[in-house]
Amino acid sequence: MITLFMMSIIAIFFSNLFMLISFTISKKSFLDREKCSPFECGFDPMNLARIPFSLHFFLITMIFLIFDVEIILILPMIPTFKLVNLLIWYKTSFFFIIILLIGLYHEWNQNMLNWIN
């Protein structure tokens, strides 16, 4: 137990040391106005460098990513059906699917599933 503690202390020490060295060696200047402006061959920019994006599209994308993670978590439940106690498997599956349905209800209640508001 003590060796694990000492190894974690050494790892934290070295990671902090390397971060400190990288911050002191780097030559980044956050206050330089020219570096923060968009580069267009010396001319003034024709339009904004940061185009706006749809926040609703971003939220739909996040819901899709969460849906993918849910599918990844559900898929191992199928092969483990015959390997574990059925009562425990049913309870775990039921609990997981109830959590997913509560999340779906919350998204539906917040009108996040409608593409056009």
Side-chain angles (χ1 to χ4, degrees):
M1 185 70 173
I2 293 175
T3 58
L4 181 64
F5 179 71
M6 289 302 293
M7 290 178 72
S8 63
I9 293 294
I10 291 170
I12 291 171
F13 172 74
F14 278 116
S15 64
N16 287 334
L17 179 71
F18 289 140
M19 285 186 348
L20 180 69
I21 290 171
S22 70
F23 283 134
T24 56
I25 292 176
S26 69
K27 292 185 177 183
K28 288 189 176 181
S29 173
F30 295 109
L31 302 176
D32 191 8
R33 184 174 158 258
E34 293 296 323
K35 286 186 179 179
C36 293
S37 66
F39 178 71
E40 290 192 14
C41 302
F43 298 109
D44 289 332
M46 298 294 221
N47 52 13
L48 294 176
R50 299 175 189 260
I51 57 173
F53 67 96
S54 171
L55 183 62
H56 193 72
F57 179 74
F58 174 75
L59 292 174
I60 292 289
T61 307
M62 293 307 295
I63 290 172
F64 176 74
L65 288 175
I66 291 170
F67 176 72
D68 282 351
V69 171
E70 292 169 357
I71 294 297
I72 290 171
L73 291 174
I74 287 176
L75 281 176
M77 291 168 57
I78 298 167
T80 60
F81 179 72
K82 293 184 180 180
L83 300 175
V84 295
N85 186 357
L86 287 181
L87 183 62
I88 295 172
W89 187 87
Y90 280 127
K91 285 181 182 179
T92 307
S93 302
F94 183 73
F95 181 68
F96 185 71
I97 290 174
I98 289 297
I99 289 174
L100 295 180
L101 289 175
I102 289 171
L104 179 65
Y105 174 73
H106 178 69
E107 291 167 359
W108 190 8
N109 195 20
Q110 297 292 320
N111 290 331
M112 292 307 303
L113 301 177
N114 296 335
W115 181 253
I116 299 173
N117 288 335

